[in-house]
Amino acid sequence: MSRFDAFAAIDWSGAKGSRHKGIALALCGPGDAAPQLVPPPGGAWSRTAIRDWILARRDPVLIGLDFSFAPPWVERSAYLPGDAVPNRARPFWAYVDRLCADEDLGAASFLEHSHRRHFYFGIADGRKADYMHFRRCEAHYNAGGGGKPSTVYDAIGAAQVAKGSFAGMRLLHHLSGHVPIWPFDPLPGAGPAVVEIYTSIAARAAGLRKGTSKLRDAAALDAALEAVGSRPHAPLHRYDDHATDAILTAAWLRANAGRDEYWRPRPLTAAIADSEGWTFGVS
């Protein structure tokens, strides 16, 4: 049984600026009522407003964040080989935050200027294959048939996760010491906790096939929610990938928060937990 009594999923954004239509936050309690979107202050979420919402929680809420919590380390024994940067996650989060002057916890300058040579922005950078480095969690998920994961070193295209992940690392630095961040921290016995999520895992659990996992209408969302044990949702003003991903993933998180194998995945070692982290739901 899960010891949490609330479950939140946050679809994240690494976009430049201070307000982001790409951020959505869905929240649900125990039982089977559908998650609801939390209205953003000012009409659209900022990353700092998400930070403040998390820091204000004192209740036993499990919060899933949809970005990579650290770059790969195990594969090459370095996050950015050849550059003098910290070699463990917490000091690295602090390093990213200290280096970035971007507004609203943005991190585009980290990729575009500070450590440009490590990131793929297009054909002028050479072979994309040379940038395809993965965490042990991503490699394990891929080997198990989960699908080809993204890498934080690929900064091109709409599907890239690089800017959002490094912006997320700034967020984690602000949360560190205030809210337990699994698996860098052990799962606490009380209060809130933060985990990394991958919305496609929730989509697969709902029976959606690879490449067709986006929910853009009420009927499709309700069918997916039913598959993860949730009642139908309250109608939305607009159906976009961010809102529906957050709603479905919050329901999936509630349904799976008590599964021991997700908290103790067999490949997760102490060294991986300290350097790269792990995605909740990958066992």
Side-chain angles (χ1 to χ4, degrees), residues 73-154:
W73 185 85
V74 173
E75 181 180 337
R76 299 182 292 171
S77 298
Y79 296 127
L80 304 172
D83 292 0
V85 302
N87 64 0
R88 285 296 180 266
R90 288 187 190 280
F92 187 76
W93 299 340
Y95 175 76
V96 175
D97 188 60
R98 185 171 66 251
L99 217 60
C100 293
D102 311 51
E103 64 178 317
D104 192 40
L105 302 180
S109 65
F110 189 89
L111 286 70
E112 295 171 354
H113 303 292
S114 301
H115 292 280
R116 172 67 179 80
R117 69 187 182 90
H118 293 278
F119 299 96
Y120 182 80
F121 284 88
I123 194 169
D125 292 328
R127 296 193 319 143
K128 186 174 182 177
D130 293 336
Y131 295 82
M132 304 303 284
H133 305 289
F134 298 102
R135 298 180 300 164
R136 295 306 85 198
C137 176
E138 294 154 353
H140 179 70
Y141 182 67
N142 187 25
K148 184 179 179 180
S150 300
T151 171
V152 296
Y153 302 114
D154 180 7

Side-chain angles (χ1 to χ4, degrees), residues 12 17 47-48 51 97 100 102-107 163 166-168 170-171 174:
W12 187 247
R47 287 181 286 261
T48 51
R51 176 199 63 193
D97 188 60
C100 293
D102 311 51
E103 64 178 317
D104 192 40
L105 302 180
K163 293 178 182 177
F166 283 91
R170 295 190 67 188
L171 170 71
H174 288 232

Side-chain angles (χ1 to χ4, degrees), residues 178-248:
H178 302 283
V179 180
I181 302 167
W182 180 87
F184 307 94
D185 297 308
L187 180 65
V194 167
V195 296
E196 177 183 326
I197 55 171
Y198 186 29
T199 58
S200 290
I201 292 178
R204 296 292 90 72
L208 299 172
R209 301 188 310 275
K210 299 173 188 177
T212 61
S213 61
K214 297 305 180 184
L215 303 167
R216 296 187 174 94
D217 62 68
L221 177 56
D222 279 342
L225 286 170
E226 183 180 13
V228 297
S230 173
R231 285 187 279 144
H233 71 289
L236 306 179
H237 294 299
R238 183 181 66 182
Y239 288 83
D240 60 41
D241 299 346
H242 312 296
T244 59
D245 279 352
I247 290 170
L248 177 60

